[in-house]
Amino acid sequence: MSLNFNTPLFEIIRDKNKCIQCKVCVRQCANEVHWYSSYENIVNSDNNKCVNCHRCVILCPTKAITIRKHRLEFRNNSNWTSNAIKEIQKQADTGGVLLSSMGNPNKLPIYWDKILLNASQVTNPSIDPLREPMETKVMIGRKPDKLKFNKQGDLITDMPPQIELNVPIMFSAMSYGSISKNAHEALARAATKLGICYNTGEGGLNKDFYKYGKNTIVQVASGRFGVYKDYLNAGVGIEIKIGQGAKPGIGGHLPGKKVGADVSVTRMIPIGSDAISPAPHHDIYSIEDLRQLIFALKETTNYSKPIFVKIAAVHNAAAIASGIVRAGADVVVVDGFRGGTGAAPTRVRDNVGIPIEFALASIDQRLREEGIRNSASLVISGSIRNSSDIVKAIALGADAVYIGSAALIAMGCHMCRSCSTGKCNWGIATQQYDLVKRLNPDIMYKRLVNLISAWNHEIQEMLGGMGINAVDSLRGNKLMLRGIDLNETELRILGIKYVGE
Amino acid sequence: MINKEGKVKIPSGCAITGIIDKNGNKFNGEDIIKSIALMHERSNGLGGGFAAYGIYPEYKDFYALHIFFDDFNIKIQTEDYIKKNFDIINSESIPTKKNPKIYDPPLIWRYFLNPKKDNIEKKEIDEKEFVFKCVMEINKNFKGAYIFSSGKNMGVFKGVGYPEDIGKFFLLDTYEAYIWTAHGRFPTNTPGWWGGAHPFTLLNWSVVHNGEISSYDANRRFVEMYGYICTLKTDTEVITFLFDMLIRKHNIPLKKAIKIVVAPFWDDIEKEIDPSLKKELKSIRSVYASALINGPFSIILGFEDGILALNDRIKLRPLVVATKDAKTYISSEESAIRVICNNPDKVWMPAGGEPIIALLKKEYR
């Protein structure tokens, strides 16, 4: 056994004057960072184990704990950064693939921040959402090319199934297994209260949550975990997951230790077995195969639910999206390279896929050029951080967005990016009973409702500022956007003008 | 260099007026000029125009194309294209009268045309679609030529200047029509291009419009999916295309088309008790979400059978209606109606999103 070269990332600073040796930190930390020495009557900590999740900081009654970046530095080197060195040491130590959690954290351009919005001045009045109607409802699903009326003026077109969202936001797919039952309950109840939808993810649906079906989208991924007829009919829509922004080209992994009795029943797999989704769907090796699955699901549900197809934003996403629409999907979901995950190979997460802003703009444009934009709704995800990201996404052509990380943060996630360890101190990304019960769904669903309500108010303010009183009139309305700090190619692909133009 | 209209979107405020005689009795352009002239302050001399229905009874079966040409060169090229696709029944320079306030007019011509049957059959489309495609082709690809009127037995007269001067320039007192609409423009920035003035027309549709629609790019990108090409980048153009698409191409009745462009609020739809109406309204808002016109506007849409006046959903622009015997008057201001009709039977302000439809009586259509 060689020497372990790992050095700590964080440093725990305990103010000895404030610490009352109450041991809350010792009990709260699943990573066993803190321990109490009765001999000295002090609480000690092991920096090496700390993931900086802030659980101890927030629960410490005397606020004695501070965590900061560890001061230990490697000699300055712009090429061999400390991260590069540490990753090599870790792999030399274990011989394994590097795993990471949550979205790509690297310093790459965030295009939302390079897009600015318009507002009305003089020639066009802004509209005050406090005093005038301001509509944010959207209908998700395939629309016919046109409506037909008979001679008496009655509508004779049968509408394909639609999902009504009061706000153009949904909670994105996070499986039961990757996150806890309590987290799922909070998401389901918040979606119900808000009149939006949450997505089950690929791990099936716990029996207790079938009652939230009107606000549920069930997912079918390559592992087909928990998929059977009742499950498919449980929600208002079905999502076929082809790929995910955090790990395009590979399937989901759930380690066996997260597969307890309840997850096992829900996923329909033995207790303790690893749930490894195959990289592709083994019944989809081409677009015509996708069509068969789409229609198999439509047949199973008697054509009563829109079928979503979710892909990761990759280089030729526009052509793929067009194929998906032509294959019969009612909703195309595109997940950008910043999208979150419970666990993904680090190299894949940080190097595969493209920014969602570009995938969105090029898909929307492509579908319009082919005259099929109305044939499917376009939902995007992959690091929507706030309401202005949503306004920009809709103006670039999205019908709605999925949020994952933001919803978890509302429930207590502090982005320590250690989901894959299964020791989430906030009770989110864990199946450990003592940790799961820390997340109180009665409180957390309200925090989710607060977040979406706040964002909805902000969206309404921005819409009103632009002189728009329905989100319908923002969709694809690129004149409301201007780019800053972008080159000509970026502007062309986004389809927007530069500031001042 | 300032960009010509069509390269850039120019916001503008405006005055509009419309008159229809439902009995089909025709009257000359003096009244409409008087009415729009009263609202002089609402325009700034950078655009005025008129649409008139019933003015070419002797050519009523032929498409009347009014075209601006920058020079004779482009006129010859355009005429070559026209000759390939149409039989020219007559063509002439549109008569004008010199006016010190109107300067730098382009060449202004009109053509009475019959589409060549063979060409239509080759393309397997109907006659109106054929004419529509030819108009789109010339306006997009013949630089320096611009068709500003393409209906039957109707015509548009417009240009850079105050509307009353444009009206006199085109000798509108010599034309007789049963519908007149007029527009005075207050663009915030324009190099003064004649094609940029209103009304905007396509086939028999004409639109005069006061406002700036905030949904422009959403509407534009929607109609462009259905073969329309927005050469002007003006709100009025896209509104005209929307009505043409909904009513002509999608065959939607006028009253339903109105429900699309000024859709009822979701809250009101939820309150609707009639389930089939509720379903219809939901379908309309779902399928035609991108055809909702947002932002402030008042418009008068003219067509061979009548006019439609419409405000945005929350009435952000003025619109007044009056009736006197068989005549209906619509205007941005009540005073502009009273100056030509001092004793109307009824005067009222329609609510936001409430359509005013004044049609020729059936026997006079």
Side-chain angles (χ1 to χ4, degrees), chain A residues 123-124 135 137 139 143 145-147 153 159 164 364-365 368 374 467 469-470 472-473 476-480, chain B residues 9 188 212 214-215 217-218 221 225-226 250 256 265-266 282-283 285-289 294-296 313 317:
Chain A
T123 56
N124 181 342
E135 304 186 310
K137 182 183 289 236
M139 304 292 264
K143 317 289 189 290
D145 283 341
K146 58 183 180 186
L147 289 177
M159 279 292 285
E164 227 174 286
D364 177 64
Q365 185 58 30
R368 283 170 190 271
N374 239 14
N469 62 12
D472 301 333
S473 302
N477 193 338
K478 294 188 180 184
L479 264 188
M480 291 297 167
Chain B
K9 187 166 180 285
T188 51
E212 185 196 343
S214 49
S215 54
D217 224 25
R221 297 182 76 217
M225 272 207 300
Y226 295 88
H250 290 192
K256 309 288 178 186
F265 286 102
W266 282 113
K282 278 195 172 188
S283 304
R285 288 214 63 175
S286 302
V287 176
Y288 291 108
N294 221 310
R313 302 196 294 172
R317 284 287 189 271

Tab-separated table of all heavy atoms in Angstrom, chain A residues 123-124 135 137 139 143 145-147 153 159 164 364-365 368 374 467 469-470 472-473 476-480, chain B residues 9 188 212 214-215 217-218 221 225-226 250 256 265-266 282-283 285-289 294-296 313 317:
chain	number	residue	atom	x	y	z
A	123	THR	N	-42.193	54.914	-26.923
A	123	THR	CA	-43.008	54.563	-28.093
A	123	THR	C	-43.997	53.451	-27.787
A	123	THR	O	-44.919	53.204	-28.546
A	123	THR	CB	-42.115	54.118	-29.258
A	123	THR	OG1	-41.284	53.033	-28.814
A	123	THR	CG2	-41.241	55.258	-29.729
A	124	ASN	N	-43.797	52.792	-26.678
A	124	ASN	CA	-44.573	51.603	-26.366
A	124	ASN	C	-44.632	51.544	-24.839
A	124	ASN	O	-43.598	51.564	-24.196
A	124	ASN	CB	-43.776	50.439	-26.958
A	124	ASN	CG	-44.439	49.103	-26.751
A	124	ASN	OD1	-45.308	48.953	-25.905
A	124	ASN	ND2	-43.996	48.131	-27.503
A	135	GLU	N	-49.794	37.051	-18.261
A	135	GLU	CA	-50.006	35.608	-18.399
A	135	GLU	C	-48.707	34.836	-18.597
A	135	GLU	O	-47.940	35.131	-19.509
A	135	GLU	CB	-50.931	35.344	-19.584
A	135	GLU	CG	-52.239	36.094	-19.448
A	135	GLU	CD	-53.214	35.742	-20.537
A	135	GLU	OE1	-52.819	35.773	-21.720
A	135	GLU	OE2	-54.365	35.425	-20.208
A	137	LYS	N	-48.951	31.277	-18.425
A	137	LYS	CA	-49.365	29.887	-18.681
A	137	LYS	C	-48.859	29.421	-20.052
A	137	LYS	O	-48.865	30.189	-21.012
A	137	LYS	CB	-50.895	29.789	-18.657
A	137	LYS	CG	-51.395	28.365	-18.871
A	137	LYS	CD	-52.906	28.335	-18.906
A	137	LYS	CE	-53.488	28.586	-17.553
A	137	LYS	NZ	-54.381	27.529	-17.086
A	139	MET	N	-48.847	25.849	-22.822
A	139	MET	CA	-49.393	24.532	-23.143
A	139	MET	C	-48.291	23.724	-23.813
A	139	MET	O	-47.736	24.131	-24.830
A	139	MET	CB	-50.582	24.662	-24.099
A	139	MET	CG	-51.688	25.556	-23.582
A	139	MET	SD	-52.547	24.868	-22.161
A	139	MET	CE	-53.935	24.108	-22.937
A	143	LYS	N	-48.872	20.549	-31.521
A	143	LYS	CA	-50.016	21.325	-32.000
A	143	LYS	C	-50.262	20.957	-33.453
A	143	LYS	O	-49.307	20.752	-34.204
A	143	LYS	CB	-49.727	22.833	-31.911
A	143	LYS	CG	-49.049	23.304	-30.627
A	143	LYS	CD	-49.966	23.259	-29.419
A	143	LYS	CE	-49.357	23.928	-28.194
A	143	LYS	NZ	-48.229	23.217	-27.600
A	145	ASP	N	-51.128	21.674	-37.414
A	145	ASP	CA	-50.665	22.777	-38.268
A	145	ASP	C	-51.645	23.934	-38.267
A	145	ASP	O	-51.271	25.087	-38.362
A	145	ASP	CB	-50.478	22.294	-39.707
A	145	ASP	CG	-49.200	21.502	-39.827
A	145	ASP	OD1	-48.345	21.645	-38.934
A	145	ASP	OD2	-49.074	20.725	-40.797
A	146	LYS	N	-52.927	23.587	-38.238
A	146	LYS	CA	-53.941	24.640	-38.200
A	146	LYS	C	-55.222	24.085	-37.603
A	146	LYS	O	-55.397	22.868	-37.510
A	146	LYS	CB	-54.196	25.190	-39.602
A	146	LYS	CG	-54.639	24.154	-40.607
A	146	LYS	CD	-54.778	24.820	-41.961
A	146	LYS	CE	-55.233	23.827	-43.023
A	146	LYS	NZ	-55.237	24.397	-44.367
A	147	LEU	N	-56.120	24.985	-37.216
A	147	LEU	CA	-57.412	24.555	-36.693
A	147	LEU	C	-58.442	24.610	-37.819
A	147	LEU	O	-58.402	25.490	-38.674
A	147	LEU	CB	-57.857	25.472	-35.547
A	147	LEU	CG	-57.080	25.333	-34.235
A	147	LEU	CD1	-57.599	26.353	-33.228
A	147	LEU	CD2	-57.191	23.921	-33.669
A	153	GLY	N	-69.180	27.230	-37.907
A	153	GLY	CA	-68.176	27.914	-37.094
A	153	GLY	C	-67.742	27.105	-35.883
A	153	GLY	O	-67.105	27.626	-34.976
A	159	MET	N	-57.729	18.152	-30.734
A	159	MET	CA	-56.404	18.546	-30.242
A	159	MET	C	-55.663	17.346	-29.675
A	159	MET	O	-56.224	16.556	-28.922
A	159	MET	CB	-56.562	19.586	-29.125
A	159	MET	CG	-56.802	20.991	-29.620
A	159	MET	SD	-55.375	21.694	-30.453
A	159	MET	CE	-54.314	22.051	-29.055
A	164	GLU	N	-50.859	21.511	-19.273
A	164	GLU	CA	-51.004	22.920	-18.944
A	164	GLU	C	-50.038	23.261	-17.816
A	164	GLU	O	-50.096	22.652	-16.749
A	164	GLU	CB	-52.438	23.120	-18.450
A	164	GLU	CG	-53.150	24.291	-19.067
A	164	GLU	CD	-54.607	24.321	-18.640
A	164	GLU	OE1	-55.385	23.497	-19.131
A	164	GLU	OE2	-54.947	25.184	-17.803
A	364	ASP	N	-34.377	25.569	-32.489
A	364	ASP	CA	-35.579	26.364	-32.769
A	364	ASP	C	-35.570	26.842	-34.227
A	364	ASP	O	-36.557	26.731	-34.945
A	364	ASP	CB	-35.638	27.557	-31.809
A	364	ASP	CG	-36.821	28.465	-32.098
A	364	ASP	OD1	-37.966	28.001	-31.955
A	364	ASP	OD2	-36.606	29.632	-32.460
A	365	GLN	N	-34.424	27.348	-34.657
A	365	GLN	CA	-34.313	27.860	-36.019
A	365	GLN	C	-34.521	26.733	-37.033
A	365	GLN	O	-35.244	26.893	-38.014
A	365	GLN	CB	-32.943	28.528	-36.211
A	365	GLN	CG	-32.750	29.202	-37.566
A	365	GLN	CD	-33.788	30.276	-37.839
A	365	GLN	OE1	-34.304	30.915	-36.922
A	365	GLN	NE2	-34.127	30.471	-39.113
A	368	ARG	N	-38.102	25.686	-37.330
A	368	ARG	CA	-38.872	26.694	-38.060
A	368	ARG	C	-38.610	26.607	-39.558
A	368	ARG	O	-39.531	26.687	-40.372
A	368	ARG	CB	-38.536	28.095	-37.561
A	368	ARG	CG	-39.190	28.411	-36.243
A	368	ARG	CD	-38.655	29.704	-35.652
A	368	ARG	NE	-39.103	29.871	-34.287
A	368	ARG	CZ	-40.236	30.474	-33.930
A	368	ARG	NH1	-41.023	30.997	-34.839
A	368	ARG	NH2	-40.565	30.574	-32.671
A	374	ASN	N	-44.195	24.023	-34.723
A	374	ASN	CA	-45.441	23.872	-33.976
A	374	ASN	C	-45.778	22.407	-33.684
A	374	ASN	O	-46.655	22.116	-32.892
A	374	ASN	CB	-46.591	24.514	-34.763
A	374	ASN	CG	-47.268	25.608	-33.968
A	374	ASN	OD1	-46.737	26.074	-32.959
A	374	ASN	ND2	-48.433	26.027	-34.411
A	467	GLY	N	-43.351	45.354	-22.542
A	467	GLY	CA	-44.636	45.683	-23.170
A	467	GLY	C	-45.375	44.448	-23.650
A	467	GLY	O	-46.144	44.490	-24.592
A	469	ASN	N	-47.827	41.093	-22.457
A	469	ASN	CA	-48.620	40.603	-21.330
A	469	ASN	C	-48.966	39.125	-21.417
A	469	ASN	O	-49.828	38.644	-20.694
A	469	ASN	CB	-49.863	41.469	-21.102
A	469	ASN	CG	-50.794	41.457	-22.289
A	469	ASN	OD1	-50.652	40.656	-23.207
A	469	ASN	ND2	-51.760	42.355	-22.280
A	470	ALA	N	-48.284	38.409	-22.308
A	470	ALA	CA	-48.441	36.949	-22.339
A	470	ALA	C	-47.114	36.352	-22.777
A	470	ALA	O	-46.484	36.853	-23.717
A	470	ALA	CB	-49.542	36.537	-23.301
A	472	ASP	N	-46.573	33.893	-24.399
A	472	ASP	CA	-46.670	33.456	-25.800
A	472	ASP	C	-45.942	34.414	-26.738
A	472	ASP	O	-45.359	34.005	-27.739
A	472	ASP	CB	-48.137	33.428	-26.260
A	472	ASP	CG	-48.996	32.515	-25.419
A	472	ASP	OD1	-48.441	31.560	-24.855
A	472	ASP	OD2	-50.205	32.764	-25.319
A	473	SER	N	-46.036	35.705	-26.424
A	473	SER	CA	-45.462	36.708	-27.324
A	473	SER	C	-43.972	36.899	-27.104
A	473	SER	O	-43.331	37.679	-27.796
A	473	SER	CB	-46.177	38.050	-27.143
A	473	SER	OG	-47.542	37.901	-27.390
A	476	GLY	N	-39.481	32.913	-28.864
A	476	GLY	CA	-38.807	33.111	-30.150
A	476	GLY	C	-38.681	34.569	-30.558
A	476	GLY	O	-38.294	34.867	-31.681
A	477	ASN	N	-39.010	35.478	-29.642
A	477	ASN	CA	-38.999	36.910	-29.949
A	477	ASN	C	-37.582	37.451	-29.735
A	477	ASN	O	-37.280	38.124	-28.758
A	477	ASN	CB	-40.015	37.612	-29.036
A	477	ASN	CG	-40.325	39.028	-29.464
A	477	ASN	OD1	-39.541	39.659	-30.174
A	477	ASN	ND2	-41.463	39.529	-29.024
A	478	LYS	N	-36.704	37.164	-30.702
A	478	LYS	CA	-35.286	37.442	-30.512
A	478	LYS	C	-34.957	38.935	-30.577
A	478	LYS	O	-33.870	39.335	-30.183
A	478	LYS	CB	-34.464	36.683	-31.544
A	478	LYS	CG	-34.536	35.182	-31.350
A	478	LYS	CD	-33.556	34.471	-32.257
A	478	LYS	CE	-33.658	32.962	-32.050
A	478	LYS	NZ	-32.664	32.247	-32.852
A	479	LEU	N	-35.905	39.735	-31.089
A	479	LEU	CA	-35.656	41.183	-31.110
A	479	LEU	C	-35.556	41.740	-29.694
A	479	LEU	O	-35.061	42.841	-29.490
A	479	LEU	CB	-36.794	41.896	-31.843
A	479	LEU	CG	-36.607	42.218	-33.308
A	479	LEU	CD1	-37.747	43.095	-33.778
A	479	LEU	CD2	-35.278	42.899	-33.578
A	480	MET	N	-36.053	40.990	-28.725
A	480	MET	CA	-35.986	41.431	-27.333
A	480	MET	C	-34.600	41.172	-26.732
A	480	MET	O	-34.356	41.507	-25.580
A	480	MET	CB	-37.047	40.705	-26.496
A	480	MET	CG	-38.459	41.127	-26.832
A	480	MET	SD	-38.703	42.870	-26.476
A	480	MET	CE	-40.254	43.165	-27.313
B	9	LYS	N	-35.972	47.730	-37.740
B	9	LYS	CA	-37.351	47.941	-37.308
B	9	LYS	C	-37.487	49.327	-36.681
B	9	LYS	O	-36.718	49.697	-35.809
B	9	LYS	CB	-37.746	46.864	-36.296
B	9	LYS	CG	-39.200	46.921	-35.939
B	9	LYS	CD	-39.621	45.648	-35.207
B	9	LYS	CE	-41.081	45.705	-34.837
B	9	LYS	NZ	-41.347	46.590	-33.701
B	188	THR	N	-40.264	57.286	-35.452
B	188	THR	CA	-39.268	57.950	-34.628
B	188	THR	C	-37.970	58.140	-35.393
B	188	THR	O	-37.093	58.848	-34.966
B	188	THR	CB	-38.984	57.108	-33.380
B	188	THR	OG1	-38.708	55.776	-33.795
B	188	THR	CG2	-40.178	57.119	-32.460
B	212	GLU	N	-47.183	50.011	-31.673
B	212	GLU	CA	-45.923	49.318	-31.837
B	212	GLU	C	-46.082	47.973	-31.161
B	212	GLU	O	-46.254	47.890	-29.947
B	212	GLU	CB	-44.790	50.099	-31.157
B	212	GLU	CG	-43.452	49.463	-31.426
B	212	GLU	CD	-42.362	49.965	-30.478
B	212	GLU	OE1	-42.548	51.002	-29.841
B	212	GLU	OE2	-41.347	49.261	-30.390
B	214	SER	N	-45.220	44.603	-29.489
B	214	SER	CA	-44.052	44.039	-28.814
B	214	SER	C	-43.867	42.562	-29.151
B	214	SER	O	-42.855	41.973	-28.838
B	214	SER	CB	-44.202	44.221	-27.308
B	214	SER	OG	-45.482	43.789	-26.894
B	215	SER	N	-44.872	41.977	-29.808
B	215	SER	CA	-44.758	40.565	-30.184
B	215	SER	C	-44.179	40.411	-31.584
B	215	SER	O	-44.170	39.318	-32.133
B	215	SER	CB	-46.146	39.918	-30.146
B	215	SER	OG	-47.046	40.643	-30.950
B	217	ASP	N	-41.390	40.034	-33.322
B	217	ASP	CA	-40.491	38.980	-33.798
B	217	ASP	C	-41.100	37.593	-33.621
B	217	ASP	O	-40.828	36.691	-34.411
B	217	ASP	CB	-39.132	39.060	-33.092
B	217	ASP	CG	-37.981	38.876	-34.064
B	217	ASP	OD1	-38.181	39.156	-35.271
B	217	ASP	OD2	-36.897	38.448	-33.646
B	218	ALA	N	-41.930	37.428	-32.598
B	218	ALA	CA	-42.620	36.146	-32.412
B	218	ALA	C	-43.612	35.946	-33.564
B	218	ALA	O	-43.686	34.873	-34.163
B	218	ALA	CB	-43.339	36.124	-31.068
B	221	ARG	N	-41.630	35.421	-37.003
B	221	ARG	CA	-41.028	34.101	-37.197
B	221	ARG	C	-42.112	33.039	-37.365
B	221	ARG	O	-41.881	32.000	-37.961
B	221	ARG	CB	-40.093	33.788	-36.029
B	221	ARG	CG	-38.934	34.782	-35.990
B	221	ARG	CD	-37.947	34.499	-34.878
B	221	ARG	NE	-37.091	33.379	-35.175
B	221	ARG	CZ	-36.681	32.485	-34.263
B	221	ARG	NH1	-37.067	32.587	-33.021
B	221	ARG	NH2	-35.894	31.500	-34.612
B	225	MET	N	-42.801	30.779	-41.164
B	225	MET	CA	-42.882	29.319	-41.314
B	225	MET	C	-43.867	28.931	-42.403
B	225	MET	O	-43.831	27.832	-42.924
B	225	MET	CB	-43.349	28.679	-39.998
B	225	MET	CG	-42.238	28.365	-39.046
B	225	MET	SD	-42.655	26.991	-37.965
B	225	MET	CE	-44.110	27.568	-37.115
B	226	TYR	N	-44.794	29.846	-42.706
B	226	TYR	CA	-45.837	29.532	-43.677
B	226	TYR	C	-45.611	30.250	-45.014
B	226	TYR	O	-46.545	30.519	-45.748
B	226	TYR	CB	-47.212	29.889	-43.100
B	226	TYR	CG	-47.579	29.049	-41.901
B	226	TYR	CD1	-47.213	29.442	-40.616
B	226	TYR	CD2	-48.268	27.849	-42.048
B	226	TYR	CE1	-47.532	28.661	-39.511
B	226	TYR	CE2	-48.595	27.064	-40.949
B	226	TYR	CZ	-48.230	27.474	-39.681
B	226	TYR	OH	-48.546	26.704	-38.590
B	250	HIS	N	-55.564	29.391	-43.852
B	250	HIS	CA	-56.062	28.405	-42.895
B	250	HIS	C	-57.593	28.349	-42.859
B	250	HIS	O	-58.162	27.556	-42.115
B	250	HIS	CB	-55.524	28.703	-41.487
B	250	HIS	CG	-54.061	28.434	-41.343
B	250	HIS	ND1	-53.426	28.402	-40.130
B	250	HIS	CD2	-53.109	28.164	-42.261
B	250	HIS	CE1	-52.132	28.138	-40.305
B	250	HIS	NE2	-51.923	27.998	-41.592
B	256	LYS	N	-63.288	34.062	-35.534
B	256	LYS	CA	-62.347	33.190	-34.817
B	256	LYS	C	-60.928	33.742	-34.943
B	256	LYS	O	-60.136	33.658	-34.008
B	256	LYS	CB	-62.393	31.769	-35.373
B	256	LYS	CG	-63.771	31.164	-35.464
B	256	LYS	CD	-64.332	30.808	-34.100
B	256	LYS	CE	-65.741	30.255	-34.265
B	256	LYS	NZ	-66.412	30.028	-33.004
B	265	PHE	N	-58.227	36.299	-22.156
B	265	PHE	CA	-57.285	35.957	-21.086
B	265	PHE	C	-57.580	34.563	-20.542
B	265	PHE	O	-58.735	34.137	-20.501
B	265	PHE	CB	-57.358	36.994	-19.967
B	265	PHE	CG	-56.715	38.299	-20.342
B	265	PHE	CD1	-57.488	39.389	-20.708
B	265	PHE	CD2	-55.334	38.422	-20.356
B	265	PHE	CE1	-56.894	40.586	-21.081
B	265	PHE	CE2	-54.734	39.610	-20.718
B	265	PHE	CZ	-55.514	40.692	-21.084
B	266	TRP	N	-56.543	33.876	-20.094
B	266	TRP	CA	-56.699	32.519	-19.539
B	266	TRP	C	-57.691	32.529	-18.388
B	266	TRP	O	-58.481	31.601	-18.229
B	266	TRP	CB	-55.347	31.978	-19.057
B	266	TRP	CG	-54.460	31.480	-20.155
B	266	TRP	CD1	-53.268	32.020	-20.558
B	266	TRP	CD2	-54.655	30.329	-21.002
B	266	TRP	NE1	-52.730	31.295	-21.587
B	266	TRP	CE2	-53.562	30.246	-21.873
B	266	TRP	CE3	-55.663	29.368	-21.094
B	266	TRP	CZ2	-53.429	29.248	-22.824
B	266	TRP	CZ3	-55.539	28.367	-22.052
B	266	TRP	CH2	-54.429	28.316	-22.902
B	282	LYS	N	-59.253	27.220	-25.636
B	282	LYS	CA	-57.971	26.635	-25.237
B	282	LYS	C	-57.186	26.175	-26.458
B	282	LYS	O	-55.969	26.365	-26.536
B	282	LYS	CB	-58.196	25.444	-24.295
B	282	LYS	CG	-58.424	25.843	-22.861
B	282	LYS	CD	-58.283	24.643	-21.933
B	282	LYS	CE	-58.333	25.114	-20.484
B	282	LYS	NZ	-58.014	24.067	-19.538
B	283	SER	N	-57.898	25.560	-27.406
B	283	SER	CA	-57.237	25.106	-28.634
B	283	SER	C	-56.658	26.286	-29.397
B	283	SER	O	-55.532	26.233	-29.895
B	283	SER	CB	-58.227	24.359	-29.530
B	283	SER	OG	-58.805	23.298	-28.825
B	285	ARG	N	-55.716	29.165	-28.243
B	285	ARG	CA	-54.539	29.745	-27.587
B	285	ARG	C	-53.325	28.817	-27.675
B	285	ARG	O	-52.186	29.287	-27.632
B	285	ARG	CB	-54.847	30.089	-26.123
B	285	ARG	CG	-55.759	31.304	-26.025
B	285	ARG	CD	-55.472	32.149	-24.812
B	285	ARG	NE	-54.140	32.733	-24.820
B	285	ARG	CZ	-53.704	33.578	-23.899
B	285	ARG	NH1	-54.493	33.920	-22.908
B	285	ARG	NH2	-52.497	34.082	-23.959
B	286	SER	N	-53.581	27.511	-27.752
B	286	SER	CA	-52.463	26.584	-27.853
B	286	SER	C	-51.848	26.608	-29.244
B	286	SER	O	-50.640	26.769	-29.406
B	286	SER	CB	-52.920	25.154	-27.560
B	286	SER	OG	-53.489	25.078	-26.285
B	287	VAL	N	-52.698	26.445	-30.249
B	287	VAL	CA	-52.190	26.292	-31.618
B	287	VAL	C	-51.653	27.613	-32.158
B	287	VAL	O	-50.636	27.647	-32.852
B	287	VAL	CB	-53.302	25.741	-32.538
B	287	VAL	CG1	-52.820	25.662	-33.980
B	287	VAL	CG2	-53.758	24.374	-32.045
B	288	TYR	N	-52.335	28.696	-31.825
B	288	TYR	CA	-51.946	29.980	-32.404
B	288	TYR	C	-51.345	30.932	-31.369
B	288	TYR	O	-51.510	32.148	-31.473
B	288	TYR	CB	-53.159	30.618	-33.093
B	288	TYR	CG	-53.569	29.867	-34.338
B	288	TYR	CD1	-54.720	29.100	-34.374
B	288	TYR	CD2	-52.771	29.912	-35.489
B	288	TYR	CE1	-55.091	28.392	-35.508
B	288	TYR	CE2	-53.136	29.217	-36.632
B	288	TYR	CZ	-54.295	28.463	-36.640
B	288	TYR	OH	-54.638	27.782	-37.771
B	289	ALA	N	-50.638	30.366	-30.390
B	289	ALA	CA	-50.018	31.200	-29.356
B	289	ALA	C	-49.114	32.264	-29.979
B	289	ALA	O	-49.082	33.411	-29.542
B	289	ALA	CB	-49.224	30.323	-28.397
B	294	ASN	N	-49.330	41.393	-29.406
B	294	ASN	CA	-49.143	41.977	-28.085
B	294	ASN	C	-48.587	43.389	-28.201
B	294	ASN	O	-48.002	43.753	-29.199
B	294	ASN	CB	-48.170	41.099	-27.289
B	294	ASN	CG	-48.615	40.945	-25.850
B	294	ASN	OD1	-48.914	41.924	-25.182
B	294	ASN	ND2	-48.660	39.728	-25.382
B	295	GLY	N	-48.796	44.162	-27.147
B	295	GLY	CA	-48.336	45.546	-27.173
B	295	GLY	C	-49.445	46.429	-27.690
B	295	GLY	O	-50.521	45.963	-28.043
B	296	PRO	N	-49.214	47.744	-27.690
B	296	PRO	CA	-50.301	48.668	-28.024
B	296	PRO	C	-50.611	48.708	-29.518
B	296	PRO	O	-49.709	48.810	-30.331
B	296	PRO	CB	-49.724	50.021	-27.589
B	296	PRO	CG	-48.245	49.845	-27.665
B	296	PRO	CD	-47.953	48.410	-27.375
B	313	ARG	N	-55.491	43.959	-26.357
B	313	ARG	CA	-56.323	43.365	-25.298
B	313	ARG	C	-56.546	44.293	-24.104
B	313	ARG	O	-57.493	44.117	-23.352
B	313	ARG	CB	-55.687	42.062	-24.803
B	313	ARG	CG	-55.486	41.049	-25.895
B	313	ARG	CD	-55.233	39.674	-25.324
B	313	ARG	NE	-53.988	39.566	-24.591
B	313	ARG	CZ	-53.645	38.511	-23.879
B	313	ARG	NH1	-54.472	37.493	-23.792
B	313	ARG	NH2	-52.487	38.459	-23.253
B	317	ARG	N	-54.127	51.931	-27.085
B	317	ARG	CA	-54.198	52.961	-28.113
B	317	ARG	C	-55.657	53.398	-28.273
B	317	ARG	O	-56.565	52.600	-28.046
B	317	ARG	CB	-53.693	52.428	-29.463
B	317	ARG	CG	-52.177	52.313	-29.576
B	317	ARG	CD	-51.528	53.680	-29.715
B	317	ARG	NE	-50.115	53.579	-30.027
B	317	ARG	CZ	-49.128	53.504	-29.133
B	317	ARG	NH1	-49.415	53.520	-27.848
B	317	ARG	NH2	-47.872	53.432	-29.511
